Amino acid sequence: SAGSRSPPRPGAPARPQQPLSVPWPAGRVDCPSLSCPAFVSPSGTQGCICVELCVLHHPHAAFLSTLPQDIRNTVGNIPMEWYQDFPHIGYDLEGKKIYKPIRNKDELDKFLEKMENPDYWRTVQDKMTGADIKLTDEQVDLVHRLQKGQFGDVHFDPYEPAIDFFSHEVMIHPVTNRPADKRSFIPSLIEKEKVSKLVHAIKMGWIKPRKPKEDTPTYYDLWAHEDPNSILGRHKMHVPAPKMKLPGHEESYNPPPEYLPSEEEKLAWEQQEPAERKLNFVPRQYRCLRAVPAYSRFIHERFERCLDLYLCPRQRKMRVNVDPEDLIPKLPKPRDLQPFPTTQALVYRGHSSLVRCLSICPGGQWLVSGSDDCTVRFWEVSTARCMKTLPLAGVVKSISWNPNPTICLVAIAVEQSVLLVNPSLGDKLLYGATDQLLESYVAPEEERVQPVQWVAATTEEHGKGIRLVVQHSRPVKQVTWHGKGDYFASVLADNSNMQVLIHQTSKRWSQNPFRKSKGLVQCVLFHPIRPYFFVATQRYVRVYNLLKQELTKKLMTNCKWVSSMAIHPGGDNIICGSYDSKLAWFDLDLSTRPYQLLRHHKKALRSVAFHKHYPLFASGSDDGSVIVCHGMVYNDLLQNPLLVPVKVLKGHALTWDLGVLDVLFHPTQPWVFSSGADGTVRLFT
C-alpha cells in the first residue's frame, strides 16, 4: 500500500520499482501528497506508480492508461461507508476535507431531475467525492460494450492469429523445462540447522507430542447456565406430566374375594357405557402368576398414554389476584353531581285515561298533556292548576309545543290530522301576534300538488283555539318541531314511502323527503343546530343532511325495537330507548355503534329526554320508574362523556302493565315531568 512505503531520502534518487517486463514510465515525478513514486504520462496525466502498475498489468493496459485518473480524493481503496457519519467524504491532494453535498436528494428531487434533466440517463455519482459526473460518449460506448460482453478497446481483435511458442521443430535450448540448479542436489544447511533445533527442543521437553483425541462423545446440560428466575425461562411454565395411578387390589392376579364381582355385577358392567364404568376391566383370579395370560389391551393403553403425554398442553396458568373493587370504574358520588330531581313535588290530576304525551312551553310556565280520554289539558306548572281543556275527536298520540318563544302554537296529532292550536295563555300580545301571523298567509295563484291538505279551522273550532288542520292520508303517530319554529315533521302509521312528511307553517306547504321506505319509522327528530334530520326505524337511526339531501350516517342501535329518541343540546350525542329495556348512548363523532348501553330498567323504555342546560337525561319505563342520569359531555373531544345514574324516581302506579309513557325536562329548572298510564302527570324537583 502507498501508506506503508517509506519516503525517499532527501537528495537521493528514488529507487525504481520496475514491474515485470514493463518499462519505467517516462517523465516520472514524486507524488505531491503521498510518499510514493509518481509519474507523468506522455499525454500529461499524473498518477501514482501503485495505480499505474495495476493499469500496466491490465490486459488492456494500452486503452486504460489513456483514461484520466481522478485523484481528487486520497483516502485510497477503503469502504466509503466509513464516512457515512461524518460531514466530509475524504481529503484532496492538499490534505483539505472534501465535504458532502449539503442536501441529499429525496425521491421527489430524483423524479424532478429525471423529468427535467435530458442528461439524467448518463449522469452517475462519484462515491469518492459525492459529485455528479456526466459520462462522455466514449465512456457510454464503453459501458454498452461491456454490457454486451465485448472487449473495452474498440481496436482489440480477439481473433487475431496466435503466436505458436511451441513449434514442432526440436530446439537446442528448452523454453520451459530448463535443467535443475546445482543447489537442488546439495543438502540445505539451513534445513539441517532447523532440524537440530527441533530435536534439541524435544529432548529438553519444550515440545511435547499431541495428545490423542478421545473418541467418547461428551454430553452436557444445555440449560445448566440458564437463570431459572428469568421471565423468558424456557421451562418456567412447564408442568411435569402426571404420574400414572398405582394399581390397587382389584388389579391383582389373586385379589381378595370381596373384589371379585358376581354374575349380576358382571352383567351390569357389560350393559354400562364405557365412560360410566368405574373400572375398565373385570377383576379375575388366577391360580398362580404363571397362569396369567398376556394383557390384550396392553398396546392400546400404552398408545393412549403416549397420546396423553404429548397432546396434553401442560402449562402453568398464572392466576392474577385482582381486587373486585378495582374492576368497577371510579364514578363520582351523586351528591357531588347535584342539582337533579329527587322528590315528587306536584301531581297533575284530571285525565280519566292514560296520558300518552307531554310538552312544555319555551318559558316553562305552561304544560300541555294529551290523553286517551280524547282531551288535551293545559296546566300551570307552578300550581298544578288546569287552565284549559280541549276536547277532541280521537285519541291524542303526540303533542309538541312550538320551541320559538315568539310564537304561541301547539301541534297535536289526532287520528289522521295534525291540529295547530293557539292555547291563548300568558301574554296577550304574544298569542295575538301568532294569530296575525297565521291570518297574513296569502294563497298562491296556482295550487300545488301536496301529500296533505291544509284546512283553515271552522268558527266552532276557532273558538276552541284550533287555527289550522293538516289532514293526512294515514293515522299520525308523532309530530315534532324544528328549532326555528317554522317547520314541523309528522310520522304516519304506514309502511310506504309516505311515512315521514315535513311541513312549513308560514307557506302552508308539505313535502315528502323520501322516495322509498327504509323500514318502519318509529320517530323523527331535527338537529338543534345543524341541518340534519334523524329518522329512527326499528333497529337503525339514519342521519340525513337536508341541504345536500343525502344520507350522512347510519347508526347501529344493537336493539331489537327502538321506541324513542332524544338529542343532546350540543348536537353531538343522542340517546335511544328500546322496548327490550336498553338505553343506547351514541357519540356521533366517535362511532356508528353505541358508546354505552345502559340496562337499568327491568321493562320496556317508553320515552327518553335530555335537559337543555343541565347535564341530565332521563328515561321512563313500563316498570313505573323514571331513572335520572348525569350525562356530562366535555368540550375536549378526546375526553369521553361521563354517564352516572343518580336517582330512581317512583310514583306512578302500573295500569294494564303500562308504567311511565313520557318524560320531559323543564326548560330552565332541574325538574322532570312524567306522564303515566294511571292518568296522572307528576313533577319531580
Side-chain angles (χ1 to χ4, degrees), residues 224-238:
H225 302 290
E226 193 175 60
D227 185 11
N229 299 322
S230 63
I231 299 175
L232 299 176
R234 182 178 290 268
H235 298 289
K236 187 178 181 182
M237 307 303 291
H238 175 70

Side-chain angles (χ1 to χ4, degrees), residues 70 72-75 80 83 86-91 97-105 113 123-134:
D70 189 359
R72 283 181 288 171
N73 197 347
T74 59
V75 294
M80 298 310 293
Y83 283 93
F86 295 97
H88 63 286
I89 202 169
Y91 303 91
K97 294 180 181 179
I98 301 177
Y99 288 95
K100 296 178 183 176
I102 297 177
R103 180 174 177 269
N104 293 328
K105 295 181 181 178
E113 186 179 4
T123 304
V124 294
Q125 186 183 21
D126 186 4
K127 292 185 179 180
M128 299 289 288
T129 60
D132 291 339
I133 300 174
K134 178 184 171 185

